[in-house]
Amino acid sequence: MAVAFTNLGSQAGLQKLNEYLLTRSYISGYQASKDDLAVYSALNSPPSEEFVNAARWYTHIDALIRLSGVTEEGKGVKIESSAVVEDSPITPPVTEAKAPAEDDDDDDVDLFGEETEEEKKAAEERAAAVKASAKKKESGKSSVLLDVKPWDDETDMKKLEEAVRSVQMEGLLWGASKLVPVGYGIKKLQIMMTIVDDLVSVDDLVEERLLTEPANEYIQSCDIVAFNKI
């Protein structure tokens, strides 16, 4: 059954989207689809940081659109708006009379002159930008499951998860999570993330972001449980 969102331009509409994305990475399914594009297109601007889940989702979909596009069909999403649109009167176009053009001196303009150094440099830069963009579009994505362990049974697991999700970078999207009992009253956090392979190194993410200050106040260790190409 298709999920419906109403008036995404309002605070109430954004709040519903934010709550919906609390435990989801995408509008439907486990990868970006046309449902995500539909909701993305319905938003006039990126959600504010007040709506942390919606803002995270928007940043990820925006990056996917620029990097590789979205082709998955999805399950269907319904976007409704409560705004009232008034018909505006159609104003006929005004045609201005053109004055006869004066004769130009053909000798003043060289339409087939040689290309300048500046023009050659600009053309080379455009070609390099197109090549770099094509290379980015070929970049793959991976789904990763992490085990994040606390120091002891007195560690605040809510703050531990907040520390994990506070790590933000281009090409990284945090997904669903759950607490799993380990023993002796200790629980570990299992959390999913989706990465763009050319932009995010999982090893660097763990060693340089999750196991350093301030996150290591709560995190004792972090292990990769599963790593799958999408």
Side-chain angles (χ1 to χ4, degrees), residues 148 150 155-161 179 187-189:
V148 185
T155 301
D156 188 328
M157 297 303 292
K158 182 177 180 181
K159 290 185 177 180
L160 182 145
E161 182 170 356
L179 296 178
K187 294 182 179 181
K188 65 182 179 180
L189 174 72

Side-chain angles (χ1 to χ4, degrees), residues 106-163:
D106 293 338
D107 294 334
D108 291 340
V109 181
D110 183 5
L111 297 177
F112 302 98
E114 293 185 1
E115 190 177 31
T116 65
E117 288 298 323
E118 291 80 4
E119 291 171 336
K120 289 180 180 179
K121 185 177 179 180
E124 290 172 357
E125 290 176 350
R126 287 195 297 271
V130 170
K131 186 176 180 180
S133 176
K135 185 177 180 180
K136 282 186 177 181
K137 288 183 178 179
E138 295 173 359
S139 176
K141 296 186 288 294
S142 299
S143 175
V144 184
L145 178 63
L146 294 180
D147 262 0
V148 185
K149 298 176 183 176
W151 287 102
D152 51 40
D153 60 344
E154 295 182 357
T155 301
D156 188 328
M157 297 303 292
K158 182 177 180 181
K159 290 185 177 180
L160 182 145
E161 182 170 356
E162 290 175 353

